[in-house]
Structure formats: C-alpha cells, structure tokens
Short mmCIF file of all heavy atoms in Angstrom, two decimals:
data_model
loop_
_atom_site.label_atom_id
_atom_site.label_comp_id
_atom_site.label_asym_id
_atom_site.label_seq_id
_atom_site.Cartn_x
_atom_site.Cartn_y
_atom_site.Cartn_z
N HIS A 1 116.62 81.03 99.96
CA HIS A 1 116.83 82.45 100.15
C HIS A 1 115.71 83.27 99.55
O HIS A 1 115.62 84.45 99.82
CB HIS A 1 118.22 82.85 99.65
CG HIS A 1 118.39 83.04 98.19
ND1 HIS A 1 119.14 84.07 97.70
CD2 HIS A 1 117.95 82.37 97.12
CE1 HIS A 1 119.15 84.02 96.38
NE2 HIS A 1 118.44 82.99 96.01
N TYR A 2 114.86 82.66 98.75
CA TYR A 2 113.73 83.39 98.19
C TYR A 2 112.64 83.69 99.23
O TYR A 2 111.98 84.72 99.15
CB TYR A 2 113.11 82.62 97.02
CG TYR A 2 114.02 82.51 95.82
CD1 TYR A 2 114.42 81.27 95.34
CD2 TYR A 2 114.48 83.64 95.17
CE1 TYR A 2 115.25 81.17 94.25
CE2 TYR A 2 115.30 83.55 94.07
CZ TYR A 2 115.70 82.31 93.61
OH TYR A 2 116.52 82.21 92.53
N ARG A 3 112.45 82.83 100.19
CA ARG A 3 111.39 83.04 101.18
C ARG A 3 111.60 84.28 102.03
O ARG A 3 110.65 84.86 102.53
CB ARG A 3 111.26 81.81 102.08
CG ARG A 3 110.66 80.66 101.33
CD ARG A 3 110.35 79.51 102.23
NE ARG A 3 109.78 78.44 101.43
CZ ARG A 3 109.27 77.36 101.94
NH1 ARG A 3 109.28 77.17 103.23
NH2 ARG A 3 108.76 76.44 101.15
N ASP A 4 112.84 84.68 102.21
CA ASP A 4 113.15 85.86 103.01
C ASP A 4 113.26 87.13 102.17
O ASP A 4 113.71 88.15 102.67
CB ASP A 4 114.45 85.64 103.79
CG ASP A 4 114.34 84.51 104.80
OD1 ASP A 4 113.23 84.30 105.33
OD2 ASP A 4 115.35 83.85 105.06
N SER A 5 112.86 87.06 100.93
CA SER A 5 112.98 88.20 100.02
C SER A 5 111.73 89.06 100.12
O SER A 5 110.64 88.64 99.73
CB SER A 5 113.16 87.72 98.58
OG SER A 5 114.28 86.87 98.51
N LYS A 6 111.91 90.28 100.62
CA LYS A 6 110.77 91.16 100.85
C LYS A 6 110.01 91.44 99.55
O LYS A 6 110.56 91.92 98.58
CB LYS A 6 111.25 92.48 101.45
CG LYS A 6 110.12 93.43 101.77
CD LYS A 6 110.62 94.71 102.39
CE LYS A 6 109.44 95.64 102.64
NZ LYS A 6 109.88 96.94 103.10
N GLY A 7 108.73 91.10 99.57
CA GLY A 7 107.85 91.42 98.46
C GLY A 7 107.89 90.46 97.27
O GLY A 7 107.13 90.63 96.33
N LEU A 8 108.78 89.46 97.30
CA LEU A 8 108.86 88.53 96.17
C LEU A 8 107.65 87.60 96.19
O LEU A 8 107.41 86.89 97.15
CB LEU A 8 110.15 87.71 96.22
CG LEU A 8 110.34 86.70 95.09
CD1 LEU A 8 110.41 87.39 93.73
CD2 LEU A 8 111.58 85.87 95.33
N ILE A 9 106.90 87.61 95.11
CA ILE A 9 105.72 86.76 94.99
C ILE A 9 106.10 85.44 94.33
O ILE A 9 105.71 84.37 94.79
CB ILE A 9 104.61 87.48 94.18
CG1 ILE A 9 104.17 88.73 94.96
CG2 ILE A 9 103.45 86.55 93.90
CD1 ILE A 9 103.29 89.67 94.16
N ARG A 10 106.87 85.50 93.24
CA ARG A 10 107.31 84.28 92.57
C ARG A 10 108.45 84.61 91.62
O ARG A 10 108.66 85.75 91.24
CB ARG A 10 106.17 83.62 91.82
CG ARG A 10 105.85 84.22 90.50
CD ARG A 10 104.76 83.46 89.74
NE ARG A 10 104.20 84.38 88.77
CZ ARG A 10 103.21 85.22 89.02
NH1 ARG A 10 102.64 85.22 90.20
NH2 ARG A 10 102.80 86.05 88.11
N LYS A 11 109.15 83.56 91.22
CA LYS A 11 110.16 83.66 90.18
C LYS A 11 109.87 82.57 89.16
O LYS A 11 109.64 81.42 89.52
CB LYS A 11 111.58 83.45 90.72
CG LYS A 11 112.62 83.44 89.60
CD LYS A 11 114.01 83.16 90.10
CE LYS A 11 114.98 83.14 88.91
NZ LYS A 11 116.34 82.82 89.32
N ASN A 12 109.86 82.94 87.90
CA ASN A 12 109.70 81.98 86.82
C ASN A 12 111.05 81.85 86.12
O ASN A 12 111.62 82.85 85.66
CB ASN A 12 108.66 82.45 85.80
CG ASN A 12 107.27 82.51 86.39
OD1 ASN A 12 106.97 81.84 87.37
ND2 ASN A 12 106.43 83.33 85.81
N TYR A 13 111.57 80.64 86.06
CA TYR A 13 112.80 80.38 85.32
C TYR A 13 112.44 80.22 83.86
O TYR A 13 111.42 79.62 83.52
CB TYR A 13 113.47 79.10 85.83
CG TYR A 13 114.05 79.25 87.21
CD1 TYR A 13 113.28 79.04 88.34
CD2 TYR A 13 115.39 79.62 87.37
CE1 TYR A 13 113.82 79.19 89.61
CE2 TYR A 13 115.93 79.76 88.64
CZ TYR A 13 115.14 79.54 89.76
OH TYR A 13 115.67 79.69 91.00
N ILE A 14 113.28 80.80 82.98
CA ILE A 14 113.04 80.69 81.54
C ILE A 14 114.29 80.13 80.88
O ILE A 14 115.40 80.30 81.37
CB ILE A 14 112.66 82.05 80.92
CG1 ILE A 14 113.77 83.08 81.13
CG2 ILE A 14 111.33 82.54 81.48
CD1 ILE A 14 113.55 84.39 80.39
N ALA A 15 114.10 79.42 79.77
CA ALA A 15 115.24 78.85 79.05
C ALA A 15 114.90 78.65 77.58
O ALA A 15 113.80 78.22 77.24
CB ALA A 15 115.64 77.51 79.67
N ASP A 16 115.86 78.98 76.74
CA ASP A 16 115.82 78.68 75.32
C ASP A 16 116.96 77.69 75.09
O ASP A 16 118.12 78.09 74.91
CB ASP A 16 116.02 79.95 74.50
CG ASP A 16 116.00 79.71 73.00
OD1 ASP A 16 116.17 78.55 72.57
OD2 ASP A 16 115.84 80.70 72.25
N MET A 17 116.65 76.42 75.15
CA MET A 17 117.67 75.38 75.12
C MET A 17 118.41 75.32 73.78
O MET A 17 119.58 74.98 73.72
CB MET A 17 117.05 74.02 75.44
CG MET A 17 116.34 73.99 76.79
SD MET A 17 117.37 74.50 78.17
CE MET A 17 118.18 72.96 78.50
N GLU A 18 117.74 75.67 72.69
CA GLU A 18 118.38 75.64 71.38
C GLU A 18 119.44 76.72 71.22
O GLU A 18 120.43 76.53 70.51
CB GLU A 18 117.33 75.77 70.28
CG GLU A 18 116.41 74.56 70.19
CD GLU A 18 115.35 74.74 69.11
OE1 GLU A 18 115.43 75.70 68.32
OE2 GLU A 18 114.43 73.90 69.07
N ASN A 19 119.24 77.86 71.87
CA ASN A 19 120.16 78.98 71.73
C ASN A 19 120.99 79.23 72.98
O ASN A 19 121.67 80.24 73.08
CB ASN A 19 119.40 80.25 71.34
CG ASN A 19 118.78 80.14 69.97
OD1 ASN A 19 119.48 79.91 69.01
ND2 ASN A 19 117.47 80.26 69.89
N TYR A 20 120.91 78.31 73.93
CA TYR A 20 121.70 78.39 75.17
C TYR A 20 121.50 79.72 75.89
O TYR A 20 122.44 80.41 76.25
CB TYR A 20 123.19 78.16 74.88
CG TYR A 20 123.45 76.86 74.19
CD1 TYR A 20 123.68 76.81 72.82
CD2 TYR A 20 123.42 75.66 74.88
CE1 TYR A 20 123.90 75.60 72.18
CE2 TYR A 20 123.63 74.44 74.25
CZ TYR A 20 123.87 74.43 72.90
OH TYR A 20 124.08 73.24 72.26
N TYR A 21 120.24 80.08 76.09
CA TYR A 21 119.89 81.33 76.74
C TYR A 21 118.94 81.02 77.88
O TYR A 21 118.00 80.26 77.72
CB TYR A 21 119.22 82.26 75.71
CG TYR A 21 118.89 83.62 76.23
CD1 TYR A 21 119.85 84.62 76.29
CD2 TYR A 21 117.60 83.91 76.66
CE1 TYR A 21 119.54 85.88 76.77
CE2 TYR A 21 117.28 85.17 77.14
CZ TYR A 21 118.26 86.15 77.20
OH TYR A 21 117.95 87.39 77.67
N SER A 22 119.19 81.61 79.03
CA SER A 22 118.28 81.38 80.16
C SER A 22 118.22 82.62 81.03
O SER A 22 119.02 83.54 80.90
CB SER A 22 118.75 80.18 80.98
OG SER A 22 120.02 80.44 81.56
N GLY A 23 117.26 82.62 81.92
CA GLY A 23 117.10 83.76 82.81
C GLY A 23 115.93 83.52 83.74
O GLY A 23 115.54 82.39 84.00
N GLY A 24 115.37 84.61 84.21
CA GLY A 24 114.25 84.49 85.12
C GLY A 24 113.38 85.72 85.09
O GLY A 24 113.85 86.82 84.80
N GLY A 25 112.13 85.51 85.39
CA GLY A 25 111.17 86.60 85.54
C GLY A 25 110.71 86.62 86.98
O GLY A 25 110.23 85.61 87.50
N TYR A 26 110.89 87.74 87.63
CA TYR A 26 110.54 87.88 89.04
C TYR A 26 109.29 88.73 89.16
O TYR A 26 109.15 89.74 88.47
CB TYR A 26 111.65 88.57 89.82
CG TYR A 26 112.94 87.82 89.88
CD1 TYR A 26 113.79 87.73 88.80
CD2 TYR A 26 113.34 87.20 91.07
CE1 TYR A 26 115.00 87.05 88.87
CE2 TYR A 26 114.54 86.51 91.15
CZ TYR A 26 115.36 86.45 90.05
OH TYR A 26 116.55 85.78 90.12
N CYS A 27 108.40 88.34 90.05
CA CYS A 27 107.20 89.13 90.32
C CYS A 27 107.26 89.59 91.77
O CYS A 27 107.27 88.77 92.70
CB CYS A 27 105.95 88.28 90.07
SG CYS A 27 104.42 89.20 90.30
N PHE A 28 107.33 90.91 91.96
CA PHE A 28 107.36 91.52 93.29
C PHE A 28 106.08 92.29 93.52
O PHE A 28 105.39 92.68 92.57
CB PHE A 28 108.54 92.48 93.41
CG PHE A 28 109.87 91.81 93.59
CD1 PHE A 28 110.61 91.39 92.50
CD2 PHE A 28 110.39 91.61 94.86
CE1 PHE A 28 111.84 90.78 92.66
CE2 PHE A 28 111.62 91.00 95.03
CZ PHE A 28 112.34 90.59 93.94
N ASP A 29 105.79 92.56 94.77
CA ASP A 29 104.59 93.33 95.10
C ASP A 29 104.73 94.81 94.71
O ASP A 29 103.75 95.47 94.43
CB ASP A 29 104.21 93.18 96.57
CG ASP A 29 105.31 93.61 97.53
OD1 ASP A 29 106.44 93.93 97.10
OD2 ASP A 29 105.04 93.60 98.75
N THR A 30 105.96 95.33 94.69
CA THR A 30 106.20 96.71 94.27
C THR A 30 107.52 96.78 93.50
O THR A 30 108.42 95.94 93.69
CB THR A 30 106.31 97.68 95.46
OG1 THR A 30 107.47 97.36 96.23
CG2 THR A 30 105.06 97.65 96.33
N ILE A 31 107.65 97.76 92.64
CA ILE A 31 108.91 97.98 91.93
C ILE A 31 110.01 98.35 92.93
O ILE A 31 111.16 97.97 92.76
CB ILE A 31 108.75 99.05 90.83
CG1 ILE A 31 108.01 98.44 89.65
CG2 ILE A 31 110.09 99.62 90.40
CD1 ILE A 31 107.84 99.35 88.45
N GLU A 32 109.64 99.06 93.98
CA GLU A 32 110.63 99.43 94.99
C GLU A 32 111.28 98.19 95.59
O GLU A 32 112.51 98.13 95.76
CB GLU A 32 110.00 100.29 96.09
CG GLU A 32 109.57 101.66 95.64
CD GLU A 32 108.26 101.69 94.86
OE1 GLU A 32 107.47 100.70 94.92
OE2 GLU A 32 108.02 102.68 94.16
N ASN A 33 110.49 97.17 95.93
CA ASN A 33 111.05 95.94 96.48
C ASN A 33 111.89 95.19 95.45
O ASN A 33 112.89 94.56 95.79
CB ASN A 33 109.95 95.04 97.05
CG ASN A 33 109.47 95.51 98.39
OD1 ASN A 33 110.22 96.16 99.13
ND2 ASN A 33 108.24 95.21 98.73
N ALA A 34 111.50 95.27 94.19
CA ALA A 34 112.29 94.64 93.13
C ALA A 34 113.65 95.32 93.02
O ALA A 34 114.69 94.66 92.89
CB ALA A 34 111.55 94.72 91.79
N LYS A 35 113.68 96.63 93.11
CA LYS A 35 114.94 97.37 93.02
C LYS A 35 115.82 97.12 94.24
O LYS A 35 117.05 97.07 94.11
CB LYS A 35 114.67 98.85 92.81
CG LYS A 35 114.12 99.13 91.43
CD LYS A 35 113.87 100.60 91.19
CE LYS A 35 113.36 100.82 89.77
NZ LYS A 35 113.11 102.23 89.50
N ILE A 36 115.21 96.93 95.39
CA ILE A 36 115.98 96.57 96.59
C ILE A 36 116.62 95.20 96.40
O ILE A 36 117.78 94.99 96.73
CB ILE A 36 115.08 96.59 97.84
CG1 ILE A 36 114.70 98.04 98.19
CG2 ILE A 36 115.76 95.91 99.03
CD1 ILE A 36 113.60 98.15 99.23
N TRP A 37 115.88 94.25 95.84
CA TRP A 37 116.40 92.89 95.60
C TRP A 37 117.58 92.94 94.64
O TRP A 37 118.60 92.30 94.86
CB TRP A 37 115.28 92.02 95.04
CG TRP A 37 115.71 90.68 94.54
CD1 TRP A 37 115.93 90.34 93.24
CD2 TRP A 37 115.98 89.52 95.31
NE1 TRP A 37 116.31 89.03 93.16
CE2 TRP A 37 116.35 88.49 94.41
CE3 TRP A 37 115.93 89.23 96.67
CZ2 TRP A 37 116.68 87.21 94.83
CZ3 TRP A 37 116.25 87.95 97.08
CH2 TRP A 37 116.62 86.96 96.18
N PHE A 38 117.44 93.68 93.55
CA PHE A 38 118.51 93.77 92.54
C PHE A 38 119.44 94.94 92.84
O PHE A 38 119.70 95.78 91.99
CB PHE A 38 117.90 93.88 91.14
CG PHE A 38 117.31 92.60 90.65
CD1 PHE A 38 115.95 92.42 90.62
CD2 PHE A 38 118.13 91.56 90.25
CE1 PHE A 38 115.39 91.22 90.17
CE2 PHE A 38 117.59 90.35 89.81
CZ PHE A 38 116.23 90.20 89.78
N ASP A 39 120.00 94.94 94.04
CA ASP A 39 120.96 95.97 94.40
C ASP A 39 122.32 95.67 93.75
O ASP A 39 122.49 94.66 93.07
CB ASP A 39 121.09 96.08 95.93
CG ASP A 39 121.60 94.81 96.59
OD1 ASP A 39 122.00 93.85 95.89
OD2 ASP A 39 121.59 94.77 97.83
N ASP A 40 123.27 96.56 93.93
CA ASP A 40 124.59 96.41 93.30
C ASP A 40 125.27 95.11 93.70
O ASP A 40 125.92 94.45 92.87
CB ASP A 40 125.49 97.59 93.65
CG ASP A 40 125.03 98.88 93.01
OD1 ASP A 40 124.27 98.83 92.02
OD2 ASP A 40 125.42 99.96 93.52
N GLU A 41 125.12 94.71 94.95
CA GLU A 41 125.76 93.48 95.43
C GLU A 41 125.20 92.25 94.72
O GLU A 41 125.94 91.36 94.31
CB GLU A 41 125.57 93.36 96.94
CG GLU A 41 126.25 92.17 97.56
CD GLU A 41 126.07 92.12 99.07
OE1 GLU A 41 125.96 93.19 99.69
OE2 GLU A 41 126.03 91.01 99.61
N ARG A 42 123.88 92.19 94.56
CA ARG A 42 123.27 91.04 93.88
C ARG A 42 123.64 91.02 92.40
O ARG A 42 123.93 89.96 91.84
CB ARG A 42 121.75 91.05 94.03
CG ARG A 42 121.12 89.78 93.47
CD ARG A 42 119.68 89.62 93.84
NE ARG A 42 119.39 89.90 95.22
CZ ARG A 42 119.55 89.05 96.24
NH1 ARG A 42 120.02 87.85 96.00
NH2 ARG A 42 119.23 89.41 97.46
N VAL A 43 123.65 92.18 91.75
CA VAL A 43 124.02 92.24 90.33
C VAL A 43 125.47 91.79 90.16
O VAL A 43 125.78 91.05 89.22
CB VAL A 43 123.79 93.66 89.77
CG1 VAL A 43 124.38 93.79 88.37
CG2 VAL A 43 122.31 93.99 89.75
N GLU A 44 126.35 92.18 91.07
CA GLU A 44 127.73 91.72 91.00
C GLU A 44 127.82 90.21 91.18
O GLU A 44 128.56 89.53 90.46
CB GLU A 44 128.57 92.41 92.07
CG GLU A 44 130.03 92.01 92.05
CD GLU A 44 130.85 92.70 93.13
OE1 GLU A 44 130.31 93.53 93.88
OE2 GLU A 44 132.06 92.40 93.20
N TRP A 45 127.04 89.65 92.11
CA TRP A 45 127.03 88.20 92.34
C TRP A 45 126.56 87.46 91.08
O TRP A 45 127.17 86.48 90.65
CB TRP A 45 126.13 87.86 93.52
CG TRP A 45 126.09 86.40 93.83
CD1 TRP A 45 126.95 85.72 94.64
CD2 TRP A 45 125.16 85.44 93.33
NE1 TRP A 45 126.60 84.39 94.67
CE2 TRP A 45 125.51 84.19 93.88
CE3 TRP A 45 124.06 85.51 92.49
CZ2 TRP A 45 124.79 83.03 93.60
CZ3 TRP A 45 123.35 84.36 92.21
CH2 TRP A 45 123.72 83.14 92.77
N ILE A 46 125.48 87.95 90.48
CA ILE A 46 124.95 87.32 89.25
C ILE A 46 125.99 87.40 88.13
O ILE A 46 126.23 86.43 87.42
CB ILE A 46 123.64 88.01 88.81
CG1 ILE A 46 122.53 87.76 89.84
CG2 ILE A 46 123.20 87.53 87.43
CD1 ILE A 46 121.30 88.63 89.66
N THR A 47 126.61 88.56 88.00
CA THR A 47 127.62 88.76 86.95
C THR A 47 128.79 87.80 87.13
O THR A 47 129.25 87.18 86.17
CB THR A 47 128.11 90.22 86.96
OG1 THR A 47 126.99 91.08 86.71
CG2 THR A 47 129.18 90.45 85.90
N ASN A 48 129.27 87.67 88.35
CA ASN A 48 130.41 86.79 88.61
C ASN A 48 130.05 85.32 88.43
O ASN A 48 130.89 84.52 88.01
CB ASN A 48 130.95 87.00 90.03
CG ASN A 48 131.61 88.35 90.18
OD1 ASN A 48 132.09 88.95 89.23
ND2 ASN A 48 131.64 88.85 91.41
N ARG A 49 128.82 84.96 88.72
CA ARG A 49 128.41 83.55 88.63
C ARG A 49 127.98 83.15 87.22
O ARG A 49 128.24 82.04 86.78
CB ARG A 49 127.28 83.28 89.62
CG ARG A 49 126.89 81.84 89.67
CD ARG A 49 126.03 81.54 90.85
NE ARG A 49 125.71 80.13 90.82
CZ ARG A 49 125.35 79.44 91.85
NH1 ARG A 49 125.30 80.01 93.03
NH2 ARG A 49 125.05 78.18 91.74
N TYR A 50 127.29 84.04 86.52
CA TYR A 50 126.74 83.72 85.21
C TYR A 50 127.28 84.67 84.14
O TYR A 50 128.17 84.34 83.40
CB TYR A 50 125.21 83.77 85.23
CG TYR A 50 124.60 82.88 86.29
CD1 TYR A 50 124.03 83.41 87.44
CD2 TYR A 50 124.61 81.50 86.14
CE1 TYR A 50 123.47 82.58 88.41
CE2 TYR A 50 124.06 80.67 87.10
CZ TYR A 50 123.49 81.22 88.24
OH TYR A 50 122.95 80.41 89.19
N SER A 51 126.69 85.84 84.07
CA SER A 51 127.11 86.90 83.15
C SER A 51 126.39 88.18 83.58
O SER A 51 125.54 88.15 84.47
CB SER A 51 126.77 86.55 81.70
OG SER A 51 125.37 86.45 81.53
N THR A 52 126.71 89.30 82.93
CA THR A 52 126.07 90.56 83.29
C THR A 52 124.58 90.48 82.94
O THR A 52 124.23 90.23 81.78
CB THR A 52 126.71 91.73 82.53
OG1 THR A 52 128.11 91.75 82.82
CG2 THR A 52 126.09 93.05 82.93
N PRO A 53 123.71 90.66 83.94
CA PRO A 53 122.27 90.53 83.66
C PRO A 53 121.71 91.75 82.95
O PRO A 53 122.22 92.86 83.09
CB PRO A 53 121.67 90.39 85.06
CG PRO A 53 122.61 91.14 85.94
CD PRO A 53 123.97 90.93 85.35
N ASN A 54 120.68 91.52 82.20
CA ASN A 54 119.91 92.59 81.57
C ASN A 54 118.64 92.74 82.40
O ASN A 54 117.69 91.98 82.23
CB ASN A 54 119.58 92.25 80.11
CG ASN A 54 118.71 93.29 79.46
OD1 ASN A 54 118.47 94.35 80.00
ND2 ASN A 54 118.22 92.97 78.28
N ILE A 55 118.64 93.69 83.31
CA ILE A 55 117.53 93.85 84.24
C ILE A 55 116.64 95.00 83.78
O ILE A 55 117.12 96.10 83.53
CB ILE A 55 118.04 94.11 85.67
CG1 ILE A 55 118.87 92.92 86.14
CG2 ILE A 55 116.87 94.38 86.61
CD1 ILE A 55 119.57 93.13 87.46
N GLN A 56 115.35 94.69 83.66
CA GLN A 56 114.36 95.69 83.30
C GLN A 56 113.21 95.59 84.29
O GLN A 56 112.88 94.50 84.75
CB GLN A 56 113.85 95.46 81.88
CG GLN A 56 114.92 95.55 80.82
CD GLN A 56 114.37 95.28 79.43
OE1 GLN A 56 113.23 95.63 79.13
NE2 GLN A 56 115.17 94.66 78.59
N PHE A 57 112.60 96.71 84.60
CA PHE A 57 111.48 96.74 85.54
C PHE A 57 110.22 97.17 84.80
O PHE A 57 110.24 98.09 84.00
CB PHE A 57 111.77 97.72 86.68
CG PHE A 57 112.97 97.35 87.49
CD1 PHE A 57 114.21 97.88 87.22
CD2 PHE A 57 112.85 96.44 88.53
CE1 PHE A 57 115.33 97.52 87.97
CE2 PHE A 57 113.96 96.08 89.28
CZ PHE A 57 115.20 96.61 89.00
N PHE A 58 109.13 96.45 85.06
CA PHE A 58 107.85 96.72 84.42
C PHE A 58 106.74 96.73 85.47
O PHE A 58 106.81 96.02 86.47
CB PHE A 58 107.50 95.62 83.40
CG PHE A 58 108.49 95.50 82.28
CD1 PHE A 58 109.56 94.63 82.37
CD2 PHE A 58 108.33 96.23 81.11
CE1 PHE A 58 110.47 94.49 81.34
CE2 PHE A 58 109.23 96.11 80.07
CZ PHE A 58 110.30 95.24 80.19
N GLU A 59 105.70 97.49 85.21
CA GLU A 59 104.47 97.41 85.98
C GLU A 59 103.66 96.22 85.46
O GLU A 59 103.76 95.87 84.29
CB GLU A 59 103.64 98.69 85.83
CG GLU A 59 104.27 99.92 86.42
CD GLU A 59 104.20 99.96 87.94
OE1 GLU A 59 103.42 99.17 88.53
OE2 GLU A 59 104.92 100.76 88.53
N SER A 60 102.87 95.61 86.31
CA SER A 60 101.98 94.53 85.89
C SER A 60 100.57 94.88 86.34
O SER A 60 100.12 94.45 87.42
CB SER A 60 102.44 93.20 86.52
OG SER A 60 101.57 92.16 86.13
N PRO A 61 99.85 95.65 85.54
CA PRO A 61 98.55 96.13 85.98
C PRO A 61 97.44 95.08 86.00
O PRO A 61 96.42 95.26 86.66
CB PRO A 61 98.22 97.23 84.97
CG PRO A 61 98.97 96.85 83.75
CD PRO A 61 100.22 96.16 84.24
N VAL A 62 97.65 93.95 85.29
CA VAL A 62 96.62 92.92 85.22
C VAL A 62 97.28 91.55 85.33
O VAL A 62 98.33 91.32 84.74
CB VAL A 62 95.84 93.00 83.90
CG1 VAL A 62 94.81 91.88 83.80
CG2 VAL A 62 95.18 94.35 83.73
N ALA A 63 96.67 90.65 86.09
CA ALA A 63 97.15 89.27 86.17
C ALA A 63 95.98 88.34 85.88
O ALA A 63 94.86 88.56 86.35
CB ALA A 63 97.72 88.98 87.54
N VAL A 64 96.22 87.30 85.11
CA VAL A 64 95.22 86.30 84.80
C VAL A 64 95.70 84.98 85.40
O VAL A 64 96.81 84.55 85.16
CB VAL A 64 95.02 86.14 83.28
CG1 VAL A 64 94.04 85.02 82.98
CG2 VAL A 64 94.56 87.45 82.67
N ASP A 65 94.86 84.37 86.19
CA ASP A 65 95.20 83.09 86.85
C ASP A 65 94.14 82.07 86.45
O ASP A 65 92.97 82.20 86.81
CB ASP A 65 95.23 83.29 88.36
CG ASP A 65 95.71 82.08 89.10
OD1 ASP A 65 95.75 80.98 88.52
OD2 ASP A 65 96.05 82.22 90.29
N ASN A 66 94.55 81.05 85.72
CA ASN A 66 93.60 80.05 85.26
C ASN A 66 93.26 79.00 86.30
O ASN A 66 92.49 78.08 86.03
CB ASN A 66 94.13 79.35 84.00
CG ASN A 66 93.95 80.20 82.78
OD1 ASN A 66 93.10 81.08 82.74
ND2 ASN A 66 94.75 79.96 81.75
N VAL A 67 93.88 79.08 87.48
CA VAL A 67 93.56 78.13 88.53
C VAL A 67 92.21 78.51 89.05
O VAL A 67 91.31 77.95 89.31
CB VAL A 67 94.61 78.20 89.66
CG1 VAL A 67 94.24 77.25 90.79
CG2 VAL A 67 95.98 77.88 89.13
#
C-alpha cells in the first residue's frame, strides 16, 4: 500500500527494543502530501491497531546520501 501513496519517498521503521517503543519516520515530497496520508481515517486505524500516534510534521531542507 506504500507504492500507491502520493508523494511518499520512503518510510524508516524505528525501534527501541529495550524500552518497547517503536514507530516510523516518513519522508514525503511535500508536507501537504504527508498531511493527506495522515488523515483522520488513517490516524484512527493506527490508534485501533497500535496506540494513539504522536504525529509531527517537519521540513527537511537538506538531505545527505552517502551512496
């Protein structure tokens, strides 16, 4: 379902195994597309499946790629 997500460039899964904490970092081409992805329906789905997400939006003015 990620391939059909407008503007999604990648998702990085994160986990702190010692403290039983996990989540994800999503990179979209625009904040607008990120906000469309995290609509009320998706937030409700995440909440029902896992827990209430803490969603924050940030600009990413610089990217470094070591490849």
Side-chain angles (χ1 to χ4, degrees):
H1 80 139
Y2 293 120
R3 288 188 180 188
D4 296 330
S5 304
K6 182 178 178 186
L8 180 62
I9 297 169
R10 80 176 159 274
K11 176 183 179 182
N12 295 336
Y13 290 87
I14 59 172
D16 179 343
M17 303 305 276
E18 292 178 9
N19 294 302
Y20 304 101
Y21 184 82
S22 64
Y26 295 75
C27 183
F28 284 86
D29 58 354
T30 65
I31 284 184
E32 292 79 17
N33 282 333
K35 290 181 178 181
I36 290 169
W37 171 260
F38 286 105
D39 62 8
D40 291 339
E41 184 178 329
R42 187 168 315 278
V43 171
E44 181 180 358
W45 181 87
I46 294 167
T47 299
N48 291 335
R49 185 167 180 157
Y50 304 107
S51 64
T52 303
N54 176 9
I55 299 173
Q56 298 179 34
F57 298 94
F58 299 91
E59 294 285 346
S60 179
V62 177
V64 176
D65 186 345
N66 282 336
V67 178

